[in-house]
Amino acid sequence: YPPIDIKTIKKNILAFLKVLQEDLSDYKNFLIEEAELSNDNEYWFITMGFDRRKHYSNSTQLTRLLDNLGAFEREYKIFKVNAYTGQVLSMKMRKNDE
């Protein structure tokens, strides 16, 4: 098995997301939903699920209230990670129905 463990991979994915988003305060409940090691043991394919705060585009009193209440929706992303270095190589969207 590759030397990089799942806990380290999760930490690397969160660091990768922080670089992309800068502020993760709109996100919570980060969980590894699926982890698959490639047949050649070179890559981890990690599905990370998290709750993202909904932001509403129109600025009515109701939508401002909803923003303040912190309505969240579940999202999933698939990360390809080098199994030996832990480097995140790619990220793609996963539809909730996959």
Side-chain angles (χ1 to χ4, degrees):
Y1 282 96
I4 301 297
D5 62 277
I6 293 294
K7 285 182 180 182
T8 301
I9 289 171
K10 182 178 180 181
K11 195 180 327 179
N12 291 355
I13 288 172
L14 291 175
F16 180 83
L17 286 172
K18 184 142 177 66
V19 167
L20 292 178
Q21 299 296 326
E22 292 182 8
D23 177 14
L24 295 180
S25 63
D26 282 343
Y27 301 86
K28 66 179 186 175
N29 297 329
F30 290 92
L31 295 173
I32 291 179
E33 305 283 351
E34 300 171 350
E36 179 182 359
L37 188 59
S38 64
N39 290 336
D40 60 5
N41 292 341
E42 293 290 320
Y43 305 102
W44 281 105
F45 295 96
I46 304 293
T47 300
M48 178 76 77
F50 53 89
D51 297 328
R52 183 177 63 87
R53 183 183 312 276
K54 286 184 173 186
H55 289 285
Y56 300 90
S57 57
N58 52 3
S59 184
T60 67
Q61 186 175 3
L62 176 60
T63 57
R64 284 192 302 274
L65 175 63
L66 289 171
D67 262 353
N68 290 335
L69 289 175
F72 286 83
E73 62 186 345
R74 194 78 177 154
E75 286 191 7
Y76 303 92
K77 295 201 184 290
I78 300 171
F79 297 87
K80 181 179 180 181
V81 180
N82 183 298
Y84 292 93
T85 67
Q87 178 184 11
V88 178
L89 302 172
S90 69
M91 174 184 77
K92 64 181 182 175
M93 301 289 288
R94 189 189 102 178
K95 297 195 184 331
N96 292 350
D97 59 351
E98 285 185 26

